[in-house]
Amino acid sequence: MEALIPVINKLQDVFNTVGADIIQLPQIVVVGTQSSGKSSVLESLVGRDILPRGTGIVTRRPLILQLVHIDPEDRRKTNEENESKRNGRLNRGIDGEEWGKFLHTKNKIYTDFEEIRQEIETETERISGINKGISDEPIHLKIFSPHVVNLTLVDLPGITKLPVGDQPKDIEGQIRELIYKYISNPNSIILAVTAANTDMATSEALKVSRDIDPDGRRTLAVVTKLDLMDAGTDAMDVLLGRVIPVKLGIIGVVNRSQLDINQKKLVADAARDEYAFLQKKYPSLANRNGTKYLARTLNRLLLHHIRDCLPELKTRINVLAAQYQSLLNSYGEPVEDKSSTLLQLITKFAAEYCHTIEGTAKYIETTELCGGARICYIFHETFGRTLESVDPLGNLTTIDVLTAIRNATGPRPALFVPEVSFELLVKRQVKRLEEPSLRCVELVHEEMQRIIQHCSNYSTQELLRFPKLHDAIVEVVTSLLRKRLPVTNEMVHNLVAIELAYINTKHPDFADACGLMNNNIEEQRRNRMRDLPSAVPRDKSLKGPGGQSLSPSEPHALEGEAAKAAAGGSQSGEQTDGGTGNWRGMIRKGDEGAAGERAGLQHSYPSSPHKGYAVNLLDVPVPVSRKLSVREQRDCEVIERLIKSYFLIVRKNIQDSVPKAVMHFLVNHVKDSLQSELVGQLYKAGLLDDLLTESEDMAQRRNESADMLKALQKASQVIAEIRETHMW
């Protein structure tokens, strides 16, 4: 087992380099209440006074203490190496046979152990302050001595119940949380320290250890202050495990008293006194108790524990090594050929941008649509559904249609439905397709912008090394998209303008719809002819006054007049209706209201305008409460059907042509010209140094990752060496 000592030292050195936050180190965690003798036990193991002393809570930060056994040959070799480096101001020679090193002071050597104690106090106050507060940031101390065995111990703040002085009210909870953090490490051994002059059943250290290690497989109990028990009592039952059994055993020790510490009693003298006390009070147990036996037991337990942890440690180290290798690769190597590097980064970004649009990118998003897939969704889902939701007759009432027909006829009554009214109204409806078409362009433009960030985050992480180059690429691509946006909008606007420029009533689909509609109207006319009174000869139904024949459109007018007569309309009222354009008012007002107004006007105005009263013809009320005539209803229905038929044709054209225009003028143009635009704007000799300037912390992170990777690889080699040499 002793042959493992050099290898174990090397392994501990590597673990200190890697850090306990990343690798759960095999170590011994010392747990106990305040004034239970934890510090005295540690100093007995070291053989030196190195820990701060005082009243109340003294240990306020975790102290990771690594004891390294050396022989005189190792000491002389180390002394020679440091003497050779003295002129380089790296170290000074080691004058004594024992020395210490702190991790935070790098290569500084401490041969005066009083300086080590002072450094611990200073470093504790630097982080935790002077108000008795605690911190979970550890202090790393390494002691080299021929009088110690190889151990790694962690000294933690003592468990307390009540805050003292300026301590926070939850000081007990903070200390327990800190203790649980360290003893929860499955690779740790718990050293539960309890004073012999207290009841073992009330031991806080054993209670805390059982919370985490209920089976006791990692717990070793230490009973301190055997010499301070009440007269007539002893700790025989406790040491034999009859009170509280502990699987790894219970070891009793005798500490230096406060008087001994004040009088500077040496640890070596205290060890001799301890041996004499055990031989006198516990002769049968003397060889299984005491500080020396505790040190050998801890060394043996730690060695066996390291052996048991090696497979898991090796797996953990290999996983971390792979992660840091990947991280180091993402940071890239230091740039040597800047011109070539810049061109490669530009080319890679342009290729990844195009691949994202085409759906062939290496990194495919799984949480949301991205790139070309989202553009497709915009075309066929968002834009398509928006157009389908546009009502062909939306915002168009029957009164609007009737008013347009009347306005298109001028002062003369119309015999036919004027085509001008149809064109006027259908253009108004087609114009409504322009807004969703332009919105489609805007959505695609936004997605093209989002692709830039996607490529930066997932595809070309090398750009994160060079923030200025990344910003410059984003600016160039954004500018290119911004230049193409008005061109694409203009094309989409022209597509709608083209449809408005010429209403093609000869369109095959529209001609078929008109033919079908004419057949329906003719069928309705024949049905109305059958409903004429039998007293009217059918052959005379197409004769006018005097027996003259009527034109094909005149029977429609006669049918309308017959319907008006059947509805109770008068000839004079019909003439008045035709002379005004206030059709909306005609619908709202009632018969009685109109008659009352006419009567009021007859009484309020003189019959002759020559008596000082002017008559405003526009203010003359008209009879408005009537239903639309049969012809008016038919004309409105014809126009509405024509508008709907033609609108659907145009909507189909727009739904097909707008995505094509967007792809040609925006998406494909950017894809084809992106690399040439980037090269033309950025590939310049005067910009190389500025664009390829790494971020401030990139070089530092690369060095840290490289050091961590080397340490992990070295640790893996050490573990392999242990397993091969000792067949573990």
Side-chain angles (χ1 to χ4, degrees):
M1 189 68 68
E2 291 300 325
L4 281 176
I5 290 178
V7 182
I8 296 300
N9 289 340
K10 187 184 298 184
L11 182 62
Q12 290 172 341
D13 290 340
V14 172
F15 284 156
N16 282 344
T17 303
V18 175
D21 292 337
I22 300 176
I23 294 292
Q24 293 182 319
L25 308 173
Q27 56 194 6
I28 300 171
V29 181
V30 184
V31 179
T33 58
Q34 283 187 21
S35 303
S36 62
K38 296 189 295 80
S39 298
S40 296
V41 170
L42 291 176
E43 287 182 338
S44 297
L45 294 174
V46 176
R48 289 279 192 158
D49 295 331
I50 60 171
L51 300 177
R53 294 284 183 171
T55 59
I57 183 171
V58 178
T59 303
R60 296 187 289 126
R61 288 179 59 185
L63 174 64
I64 299 179
L65 178 62
Q66 182 180 350
L67 305 182
V68 181
H69 176 80
I70 59 172
D71 56 28
E73 188 67 25
D74 293 334
R75 184 182 63 81
R76 284 193 297 270
K77 182 178 178 181
T78 305
N79 190 20
E80 293 173 0
E81 291 177 353
N82 284 279
E83 287 287 352
S84 63
K85 297 177 181 178
R86 181 180 299 178
N87 295 332
R89 299 182 181 179
L90 293 177
N91 285 316
R92 59 184 179 84
I94 300 175
D95 299 328
E97 64 177 3
E98 300 175 300
W99 67 91
K101 291 174 62 177
F102 286 97
L103 185 63
H104 64 272
T105 59
K106 304 302 181 184
N107 295 323
K108 185 177 180 181
I109 302 297
Y110 294 84
T111 56
D112 186 352
F113 283 83
E114 186 64 30
E115 291 184 13
I116 292 178
R117 176 191 296 179
Q118 184 62 41
E119 180 63 27
I120 293 175
E121 293 179 352
T122 303
E123 183 65 13
T124 298
E125 293 180 356
R126 185 180 68 85
I127 300 297
S128 303
I130 59 175
N131 61 348
K132 300 296 182 180
I134 66 171
S135 171
D136 62 351
E137 185 176 342
I139 298 174
H140 292 266
L141 173 61
K142 195 172 184 180
I143 300 295
F144 299 84
S145 172
H147 308 299
V148 300
V149 294
N150 291 279
L151 292 174
T152 299
L153 305 106
V154 181
D155 186 22
L156 297 175
I159 301 173
T160 184
K161 291 292 185 181
L162 298 174
V164 178
D166 296 332
Q167 289 180 348
K169 294 181 179 180
D170 62 339
I171 185 66
E172 180 185 3
Q174 292 184 19
I175 293 176
R176 286 183 180 273
E177 182 179 355
L178 180 60
I179 292 174
Y180 286 145
K181 174 183 176 182
Y182 278 88
I183 66 177
S184 296
N185 175 10
N187 295 335
S188 65
I189 297 174
I190 304 173
L191 189 65
V193 179
T194 303
N197 55 1
T198 61
D199 190 349
M200 195 73 169
T202 62
S203 172
E204 288 288 339
L206 289 176
K207 180 180 181 300
V208 169
S209 64
R210 284 194 174 184
D211 290 342
I212 302 299
D213 182 33
D215 297 333
R217 296 180 179 179
R218 299 189 288 116
T219 303
L220 174 67
V222 175
V223 179
T224 62
K225 304 181 181 180
L226 291 176
D227 57 333
L228 298 181
M229 297 185 67
D230 293 339
T233 63
D234 59 32
M236 185 68 70
D237 291 340
V238 172
L239 296 177
L240 291 175
R242 296 170 182 170
V243 179
I244 302 293
V246 180
K247 285 189 176 182
L248 295 184
I250 301 175
I251 299 176
V253 297
V254 176
N255 302 330
R256 290 181 300 169
S257 65
Q258 188 61 44
L259 178 62
D260 294 336
I261 295 173
N262 294 338
Q263 293 178 353
K264 305 294 184 181
K265 184 177 181 179
L266 297 178
V267 175
D269 296 338
R272 287 192 296 269
D273 293 343
E274 178 191 47
Y275 178 76
F277 176 83
L278 292 174
Q279 288 289 344
K280 179 180 179 181
K281 291 290 184 180
Y282 306 96
S284 61
L285 302 178
N287 61 340
R288 287 183 291 164
N289 289 276
T291 302
K292 290 186 178 180
Y293 180 77
L294 174 63
R296 291 195 302 269
T297 301
L298 291 175
N299 177 257
R300 174 176 53 83
L301 290 175
L302 185 60
L303 289 174
H304 285 287
H305 197 62
I306 290 175
R307 181 192 63 186
D308 296 337
C309 295
L310 281 180
E312 182 182 351
L313 283 175
K314 183 173 179 61
T315 301
R316 175 65 175 162
I317 288 173
N318 290 339
V319 171
L320 286 175
Q323 293 177 353
Y324 274 94
Q325 183 64 60
S326 176
L327 185 63
L328 188 61
N329 293 339
S330 68
Y331 293 151
E333 297 294 332
V335 178
E336 297 179 358
D337 188 350
K338 293 186 176 181
S339 177
S340 175
T341 301
L342 178 60
L343 188 58
Q344 290 177 0
L345 290 175
I346 289 176
T347 303
K348 185 173 183 180
F349 179 87
E352 290 295 336
Y353 190 92
C354 296
H355 291 332
T356 303
I357 295 176
E358 296 168 358
T360 58
K362 181 179 179 181
Y363 299 92
I364 297 179
E365 186 67 58
T366 58
T367 58
E368 62 177 354
L369 293 179
C370 178
R374 190 174 184 86
I375 293 174
C376 179
Y377 182 87
I378 292 171
F379 286 157
H380 302 291
E381 298 293 334
T382 306
F383 179 59
R385 290 180 180 178
T386 302
L387 288 187
E388 291 175 359
S389 66
V390 178
D391 184 9
L393 300 177
N395 299 329
L396 189 64
T397 64
T398 303
I399 297 302
D400 294 336
V401 176
L402 192 57
T403 302
I405 294 175
R406 287 276 178 158
N407 287 334
T409 60
R412 297 174 299 279
L415 298 177
F416 306 99
V417 178
E419 294 184 3
V420 176
S421 59
F422 163 71
E423 290 197 8
L424 175 67
L425 294 174
V426 80
K427 286 182 178 180
R428 171 179 165 182
Q429 298 304 101
V430 169
K431 184 69 175 176
R432 298 169 58 209
L433 298 176
E434 183 175 9
E435 182 178 354
S437 300
L438 294 176
R439 177 58 180 163
C440 175
V441 178
E442 182 180 351
L443 291 175
V444 174
H445 177 266
E446 292 175 358
E447 179 58 26
M448 300 283 283
Q449 284 284 118
R450 291 178 68 248
I451 296 176
I452 303 175
Q453 190 64 32
H454 173 82
C455 293
S456 301
N457 292 341
Y458 299 100
S459 302
T460 53
Q461 293 189 359
E462 293 91 341
L463 287 178
L464 299 179
R465 294 177 55 193
F466 312 108
K468 292 186 178 181
L469 175 60
H470 175 268
D471 294 342
I473 289 178
V474 172
E475 179 61 29
V476 171
V477 181
T478 302
S479 176
L480 178 60
L481 291 172
R482 192 184 303 118
K483 288 190 297 184
R484 298 306 303 174
L485 183 60
V487 178
T488 309
N489 283 336
E490 182 66 21
M491 182 59 196
V492 171
H493 174 77
N494 287 337
L495 289 175
V496 179
I498 289 171
E499 297 292 345
L500 296 175
Y502 181 66
I503 306 301
N504 183 17
T505 56
K506 291 295 185 180
H507 192 283
D509 296 339
F510 186 69
D512 294 342
C514 290
L516 182 60
M517 185 179 60
N518 290 335
N519 293 336
N520 292 337
I521 294 174
E522 183 63 24
E523 182 65 25
Q524 293 175 5
R525 188 188 68 79
R526 291 173 181 172
N527 293 337
R528 286 195 297 270
M529 291 295 294
R530 296 193 195 100
D531 295 337
L532 288 175
S534 59
V536 181
R538 294 189 180 275
D539 57 349
K540 293 183 179 181
S541 62
L542 298 178
K543 301 290 185 178
Q548 297 179 353
S549 298
L550 298 177
S551 64
S553 62
E554 288 176 341
H556 299 298
L558 293 177
E559 292 170 13
E561 292 175 1
K564 295 174 188 174
S570 64
Q571 181 67 21
S572 61
E574 182 66 22
Q575 291 174 354
T576 307
D577 291 348
T580 180
N582 190 6
W583 292 93
R584 301 180 189 274
M586 292 168 59
I587 298 302
R588 290 193 297 268
K589 295 182 180 179
D591 285 335
E592 295 179 359
E597 290 179 2
R598 284 197 300 272
L601 285 172
Q602 291 175 359
H603 291 288
S604 60
Y605 290 104
S607 59
S608 175
H610 296 290
K611 296 184 178 181
Y613 294 95
V615 179
N616 187 353
L617 295 179
L618 295 179
D619 291 337
V620 176
V622 295
V624 294
S625 177
R626 71 171 184 81
K627 296 181 180 179
L628 295 180
S629 66
V630 175
R631 178 177 179 180
E632 290 169 344
Q633 292 178 353
R634 184 198 64 210
D635 291 348
C636 291
E637 183 180 353
V638 168
I639 293 296
E640 289 175 354
R641 289 186 178 182
L642 292 176
I643 291 174
K644 184 175 182 179
S645 175
Y646 195 82
F647 180 86
L648 295 179
I649 295 172
V650 174
R651 186 175 70 182
K652 183 178 179 181
N653 295 341
I654 293 296
Q655 190 172 355
D656 179 66
S657 58
V658 168
K660 294 178 179 179
V662 174
M663 286 298 298
H664 177 71
F665 286 92
L666 181 61
V667 179
N668 291 341
H669 187 278
V670 171
K671 283 173 50 182
D672 296 339
S673 59
L674 178 59
Q675 181 168 355
S676 60
E677 190 76 14
L678 288 172
V679 172
Q681 296 287 338
L682 303 179
Y683 192 66
K684 299 177 181 179
L687 299 177
L688 287 177
D689 293 336
D690 186 50
L691 293 178
L692 294 181
T693 301
E694 288 187 323
S695 58
E696 296 179 357
D697 59 339
M698 183 60 66
Q700 179 181 354
R701 284 185 290 176
R702 185 192 298 110
N703 294 334
E704 291 175 353
S705 299
D707 294 341
M708 188 69 69
L709 181 60
K710 291 179 181 178
L712 290 169
Q713 292 173 344
K714 185 176 180 180
S716 180
Q717 294 174 357
V718 171
I719 293 177
E721 178 183 349
I722 295 174
R723 299 186 68 180
E724 291 176 1
T725 304
H726 303 280
M727 301 300 179
W728 284 0

